[in-house]
Amino acid sequence: MTGFAAGSGSFDSWSWSWELRAVNGKGLDLRLRVPDWIEGLETALRKSLTAAAARGNITCNLRISRNESDGALQVSRAQVDALLAALHDIEARAMDAGVSLAPSRASDLLTLRGVLEQAEEAQDTEGLRAALLEEFPALLADFNAMREAEGAALAQVMHDQLSEIDTLAARAAALAEARKDEMAATLQRNLARVLENSEGADADRVAQELALIAVKADVTEEIDRLAAHVATARDLIGQGGPVGRKLDFLMQEFNREANTLCSKAQSSELTTAGLALKAVIDQMREQVQNVE
């Protein structure tokens, strides 16, 4: 789910820069920081992102600026009217005082503050919105390309971990097979000891209880289920698409079988194999959090 892309563009006097990034997340969490004065932009971007991603914390930042120097200069009529009225008043007072003033020139007025101003153009938000939405798919493609590259590398890591789980499960199966004769002999000794010290005990009943203990110590089912989980995980990874949640659930099943195997081990070597399985499964579980 990790990904990043950046881009920039322009339209008329507007320029912008994009930044799109994603990190791990159990669900899909979209955080868009885009100008709210561009009507409909956030809704359209959110729709595109929802169609492109199923999982992860995705942040989309858009910064827009405008080149004000592109605006045309125009005369402020209100400011000119105010200046002319002031000049008329000054000239009238000067004449009353017998003072002669030099004639005023238009160029003198243009240098005064507020006479010339930039023309205010109506904001073409519709055109700007269209330009942004036209550019966004390319940004999204770069974003997904990085995520796909990350996913391919992650798939290889998980395939290696599944192979390690497969190897450890096979080792556990071999250890369990090797201990069968020893467990049978141990059960027989325990049965003889119980019968010797239990007058009137039902031998059949005692044998049934010991047989039940033997069944509970059998790890064949756990090893078989581990092999089945490995096959399922490989199929899911091979499918592509959003399989992170399914793999997340499957890792819980992996961990359950490894825990049961350890509890049934009754052998230091088998316990060691079970603990090694738990370690690899935990490492893979961490990697699965990165899968969409």
Side-chain angles (χ1 to χ4, degrees):
M1 293 178 289
T2 303
F4 177 81
S8 60
S10 62
F11 172 77
D12 285 347
S13 60
W14 302 99
S15 60
W16 61 78
S17 62
W18 295 96
E19 189 177 274
L20 190 58
R21 63 175 68 241
V23 295
N24 304 343
K26 291 185 177 180
L28 180 61
D29 182 15
L30 299 179
R31 301 178 184 180
L32 278 67
R33 298 185 179 94
V34 300
D36 56 6
W37 47 268
I38 304 178
E39 186 177 356
L41 177 62
E42 181 174 346
T43 301
L45 293 177
R46 189 175 293 275
K47 183 178 180 180
S48 296
L49 288 169
T50 301
R55 199 179 185 200
N57 296 326
I58 300 177
T59 302
C60 178
N61 291 322
L62 173 62
R63 296 179 179 87
I64 298 180
S65 60
R66 188 176 187 184
N67 186 359
E68 296 295 344
S69 63
D70 289 346
L73 292 176
Q74 66 179 11
V75 175
S76 172
R77 293 180 177 275
Q79 187 71 3
V80 170
D81 289 344
L83 284 171
L84 291 176
L87 284 173
H88 183 271
D89 184 55
I90 291 172
E91 289 177 349
R93 288 177 178 273
M95 290 179 62
D96 291 343
V99 177
S100 178
L101 299 177
S104 299
R105 293 177 300 176
S107 59
D108 296 330
L109 296 180
L110 289 176
T111 61
L112 297 178
R113 183 178 179 181
V115 174
L116 285 180
E117 60 184 14
Q118 285 186 321
E120 291 292 333
E121 298 179 358
Q123 291 188 353
D124 183 11
T125 58
E126 182 63 29
L128 177 60
R129 174 180 175 273
L132 289 166
L133 293 180
E134 183 179 357
E135 182 182 87
F136 188 70
L139 180 75
L140 192 56
D142 291 342
F143 174 70
N144 282 330
M146 180 176 178
R147 296 172 77 220
E148 288 172 3
E150 292 281 341
L154 185 58
Q156 185 57 54
V157 170
M158 290 192 294
H159 276 304
D160 292 343
Q161 289 170 332
L162 287 170
S163 295
E164 191 172 354
I165 291 173
D166 221 1
T167 299
L168 288 170
R171 180 184 173 191
L175 291 170
E177 183 66 26
R179 70 170 188 164
K180 280 186 176 181
D181 293 341
E182 181 182 348
M183 286 191 64
T186 300
L187 287 172
Q188 289 177 356
R189 288 195 299 271
N190 290 338
L191 175 58
R193 188 179 302 113
V194 169
L195 292 176
E196 289 175 359
N197 296 280
S198 301
E199 293 183 2
D202 185 348
D204 291 338
R205 178 60 178 172
V206 173
Q208 289 175 3
E209 292 296 329
L210 290 174
L212 184 60
I213 294 173
V215 170
K216 289 182 178 180
D218 186 11
V219 296
T220 302
E221 290 186 7
E222 286 71 28
I223 293 172
D224 289 343
R225 282 195 289 265
L226 281 170
H229 295 337
V230 166
T232 301
R234 283 177 173 156
D235 287 343
L236 286 173
I237 295 171
Q239 286 177 11
V243 296
R245 294 185 181 181
K246 292 180 180 179
L247 284 172
D248 203 11
F249 173 77
L250 191 58
M251 296 317 299
Q252 298 177 34
E253 298 301 309
F254 268 109
N255 200 50
R256 182 177 293 110
E257 304 305 336
N259 282 334
T260 305
L261 189 148
C262 286
S263 67
K264 289 183 174 183
Q266 298 182 17
S267 162
S268 60
E269 290 183 332
L270 193 53
T271 299
T272 299
L275 292 175
L277 272 168
K278 284 173 59 66
V280 178
I281 291 167
D282 190 59
Q283 292 170 4
M284 186 173 175
R285 184 184 62 81
E286 291 296 328
Q287 295 294 346
V288 166
Q289 304 310 307
N290 299 313
V291 179
E292 181 180 328

